[in-house]
Amino acid sequence: MEDQYGNHLVQKIFELCSYDQMAQILLVVRAHRDRFVDTCLHQHGTRAVQKMIQHIQAADQRASFLS
């Protein structure tokens, strides 16, 4: 997510994720909160995180992410 070019690939992956795939991504994010915060603050990582947030469609997943 923090790579200058790789973040574009990750953004496309978020666009194509199914409900179950996004659920798995959110589990990893919750397990590695400190690393996720670093990614949010990174110049390239922040774009990928924004795309991830845009593609969290289910209410339960939004609640999980926000917690």
Side-chain angles (χ1 to χ4, degrees):
M1 290 175 77
E2 295 178 4
D3 183 78
Q4 179 179 1
Y5 302 106
N7 81 80
H8 296 288
L9 173 64
V10 174
Q11 290 180 48
K12 290 295 181 184
I13 290 170
F14 289 140
E15 291 176 12
L16 302 172
C17 279
S18 69
Y19 174 88
D20 292 332
Q21 290 166 329
M22 186 60 77
Q24 290 296 315
I25 291 169
L26 292 172
L27 286 174
V28 171
V29 166
R30 292 188 72 180
H32 302 281
R33 288 180 184 178
D34 293 338
R35 182 71 179 113
F36 184 70
V37 170
D38 291 342
T39 301
C40 291
L41 299 173
H42 189 274
Q43 176 184 0
H44 301 296
T46 190
R47 301 285 185 234
V49 171
Q50 289 171 357
K51 185 65 74 168
M52 182 185 79
I53 292 169
Q54 288 176 346
H55 290 283
I56 298 175
Q57 299 297 320
D60 62 323
Q61 290 180 344
R62 284 192 298 266
S64 173
F65 177 76
L66 292 174
S67 69

